[in-house]
């Protein structure tokens, strides 16, 4: 699918003709001159009008596909045909009625608000998006190409008002022409420049190339049978999580990046944990509403940043890891308990109840630090966070079952219940090979199901390829589970105790917890 579009001459005839309209506000211009529509690029295609329309609607709803500067689009209006839209006061340039094009009928009228990632740098932009289809033709002209037109009308009146992420043009049009008898067609893009533009900018030209290229890629992919495998925003609406993330980023990002104490990339880890924190806050809003928050524990908390952010946002909780990190000096706080206060970040080594304790009695007290060991039992209802907890990941649903606690786990590196490196087997019944990470996600999800959890899954919008969140909020059916039988089914715990005792003797010699490996 090599994309090599035909570049149309500056004086090329318009590919679409807009009808003059008496309306004083039709979105492009009052009584607009048809020659204003300047065609830029055209490319042959093999996808039909239905695919073109589906792809364009998806691009309208998800402008972030075209621009990394954008988060999303909020759809303000969506109606069949040319149903009028009453614009809010801030949308002064919104068209009262859709513009008319010769040979076309308006089939869908949408208005979207494009939300930028950084609202301090760019403003949101309202834009009318119209979908037209060519008017019916006579039977004698059945070989005439079927045409579909999509028009973008930004709600601004001058180039100076246009945000950076949008080309400085008054309107954009995508035209799809299809000859059914030959199963071939073409796509093209046209602009309407602002009146004061005497020459076209290089940026606008590059943007036109990119917009048509993305349309071509998605259309040809659909025609070849491509189906989207990753689905976002299953558990929570995209807008809620992104709005909360934007708030957190504006409050904390700069300070956290400037004060980063670890050797890892601050840009990646800060924004990743801010994203996860936003997801947790909105998930907890759904789970607990205005009721009391039961607290959380982050097992294998790593640098402790996620715990710190959630604490600052008013959510009481703590985290532990087998190794103290440099960042803890900045991120640790004192949390108040009925029995007093304690650190929010603690050095602990997990020894779950299913692991036998017989070997502990044989260890010399001179070099053993029993205070480092945590039994993995938490107050009922405590929300367990397992974010890239590595060796602790497969234990997460088991711990949640023992203490009757909801949980979220975001798997990263693959380990079994002994703490050893382990390549999880692919799920049964899969005809096509899947990745090692997908196998890990499936394997730990099966553990959760066997523990009696109703397993939910979300693909988080974080800067990591290990972005699958597995959530257990509700028990499914019979809540009783034979924990020992489940542990044995998934390989047992042989060797786990030996690893724990070594860490308890030399707490700084290893990291039996989250590793910053991605």
């Amino acid at each position: 699918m090599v994309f090599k579009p035909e570049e149309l001459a500056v004086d090329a005839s318009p590919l679409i003709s807009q009808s003059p309209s008496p309306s004083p506000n039709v979105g492009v211009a009052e009584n607009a001159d048809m020659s204003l529509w300047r065609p830029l690029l055209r490319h042959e295609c093999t996808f039909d009008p239905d695919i073109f329309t589906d792809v364009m609607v998806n691009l309208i709803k998800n402008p972030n596909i075209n621009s990394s500067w954008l988060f999303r689009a909020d759809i303000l209006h969506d109606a069949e045909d040319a149903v009028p839209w009453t614009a809010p006061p801030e949308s002064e340039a919104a068209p009262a009625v859709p513009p008319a094009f010769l040979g076309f009928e308006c089939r869908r009228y949408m208005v979207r608000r494009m939300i930028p990632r950084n609202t301090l740098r760019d403003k949101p932009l309202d834009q009318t998006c119209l979908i037209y289809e060519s008017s019916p033709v006579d039977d004698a002209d059945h070989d005439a190409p079927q045409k579909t037109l999509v028009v973008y009308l930004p709600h601004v009146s001058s180039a100076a008002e246009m945000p950076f992420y949008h080309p400085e043009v008054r309107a954009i049009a995508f035209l799809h022409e299809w000859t059914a008898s030959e199963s071939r067609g073409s796509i093209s893009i046209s602009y309407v420049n602002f009146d004061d533009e005497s020459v076209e900018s290089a940026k606008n030209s590059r943007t036109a190339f990119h917009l048509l290229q993305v349309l071509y890629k998605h259309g040809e992919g659909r025609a070849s049978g491509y189906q989207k495998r990753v689905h976002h925003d299953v558990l929570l609406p995209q807008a809620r999580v992104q709005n909360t993330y934007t708030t957190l980023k504006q409050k904390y990002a700069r300070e956290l990046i400037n004060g980063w104490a670890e050797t890892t990339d601050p840009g990646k880890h800060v924004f990743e944990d801010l994203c996860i924190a936003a997801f947790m806050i909105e998930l907890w809003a759904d789970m607990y509403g205005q009721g009391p928050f039961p607290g959380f524990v982050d097992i294998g908390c790593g640098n402790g940043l996620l715990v710190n952010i959630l604490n600052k946002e008013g959510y009481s909780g703590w985290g532990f890891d087998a190794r103290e990190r440099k960042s803890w000096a900045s991120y640790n706080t004192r949390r108040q308990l009925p029995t007093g206060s304690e650190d929010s970040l603690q050095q602990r080594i997990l020894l779950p109840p299913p692991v036998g304790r017989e070997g502990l009695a044989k260890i010399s007290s001179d070099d053993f630090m029993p205070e480092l060991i945590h039994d993995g039992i938490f107050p009922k209802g405590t929300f367990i966070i397992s974010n890239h907890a590595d060796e602790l990941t497969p234990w997460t649903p088991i711990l949640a079952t023992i203490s009757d606690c909801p949980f979220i786990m975001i798997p990263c590196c693959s380990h079994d219940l002994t703490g050893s490196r382990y390549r999880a087997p692919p799920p049964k019944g899969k005809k096509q090979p899947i990745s090692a990470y997908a196998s890990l996600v499936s394997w730990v999800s099966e553990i959760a199901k066997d523990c009696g959890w109703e397993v939910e899954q979300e693909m988080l919008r974080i800067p990591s390829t290990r972005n699958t969140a597995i959530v257990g909020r509700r028990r499914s059916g019979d809540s009783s589970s034979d924990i020992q039988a489940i542990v044995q089914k998934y390989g047992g715990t042989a060797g786990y105790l030996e690893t724990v005792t070594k860490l308890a003797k030399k707490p700084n010699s290893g990291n039996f917890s989250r590793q910053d490996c991605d």
Side-chain angles (χ1 to χ4, degrees), residues 27-301:
V28 176
E30 181 180 0
N31 297 321
D33 185 342
M34 298 178 216
S35 65
L36 288 176
W37 283 101
R38 157 81 168 92
L40 287 91
L41 302 168
R42 179 167 52 196
H43 201 290
E44 293 184 351
C45 69
T46 63
F47 52 90
D48 62 25
D50 289 340
I51 291 179
F52 171 77
T53 301
D54 287 347
V55 169
M56 288 304 305
V57 170
N58 185 53
L59 294 175
I60 290 170
K61 293 181 177 179
N62 299 279
N64 50 293
I65 295 174
N66 271 316
S67 174
S68 60
W69 290 62
L70 292 168
F71 252 157
R72 66 179 189 276
D74 294 338
I75 304 302
L76 308 180
H77 177 76
D78 188 357
E80 299 296 326
D81 302 320
V83 177
W85 177 61
T86 302
E90 63 269 21
S91 297
E92 297 177 356
V97 295
F101 292 86
L102 295 178
F104 288 91
E105 297 178 1
C106 185
R107 299 300 187 194
R108 192 166 180 179
Y109 188 141
M110 303 176 71
V111 180
R112 65 177 176 178
R113 175 167 296 156
M114 291 186 283
I115 308 297
R117 288 184 177 274
N118 189 343
T119 54
L120 298 179
R121 179 181 57 195
D122 297 300
K123 293 181 179 180
L125 175 66
D126 290 356
Q127 186 182 67
T128 294
C129 304
L130 302 162
I131 301 176
Y132 300 81
E133 293 179 359
S134 54
S135 305
V137 297
D138 296 335
D139 293 339
D141 197 17
H142 62 275
D143 285 335
Q146 181 180 350
K147 298 181 180 182
T148 309
L149 176 67
V150 175
V151 176
Y152 293 170
L153 305 174
H155 299 184
V156 299
S157 56
S158 68
E161 300 175 44
M162 196 70 72
F164 175 81
Y165 54 80
H166 191 285
E168 294 181 350
V169 295
R170 299 174 64 189
I172 306 171
F174 301 88
L175 177 64
H176 178 267
E177 300 179 86
W178 180 253
T179 303
S181 60
E182 300 177 5
S183 295
R184 64 179 180 86
S186 67
I187 53 174
S188 60
I189 184 169
S190 302
Y191 280 167
V192 173
N193 292 319
F194 283 99
D195 294 338
D196 56 357
E197 284 195 7
S198 57
V199 295
E200 295 175 1
S201 71
K203 176 191 170 185
N204 287 351
S205 298
R206 289 195 305 270
T207 303
F209 182 95
H210 174 72
L211 293 175
L212 197 65
Q213 182 181 40
V214 170
L215 167 58
Y216 178 77
K217 174 185 174 182
H218 284 243
E220 293 295 335
R222 286 282 303 277
S224 300
Y226 171 80
Q227 292 184 343
K228 186 176 181 180
R229 292 175 295 174
V230 176
H231 298 278
H232 295 277
D233 315 313
V234 176
L235 303 185
L236 296 168
Q238 177 185 7
R240 278 176 51 191
V241 177
Q242 288 185 336
N243 288 343
T244 300
Y245 167 72
T246 298
T247 300
L248 296 177
K249 183 174 69 171
Q250 292 174 355
K251 289 172 68 174
Y252 303 121
R254 185 182 299 274
E255 178 184 356
L256 290 172
I257 290 175
N258 290 340
W260 191 250
E262 305 293 339
T263 58
T264 49
D265 177 17
K268 174 187 181 300
H269 289 279
V270 167
F271 292 121
E272 181 174 315
D273 281 357
L274 287 171
C275 288
I276 295 172
F279 181 83
M280 297 309 310
I281 290 170
E282 292 304 322
L283 181 69
W284 290 339
D286 281 1
M287 292 178 63
Y288 307 115
Q290 299 300 315
F293 178 67
F296 73 88
V297 58
D298 186 349
I299 63 174
C301 65

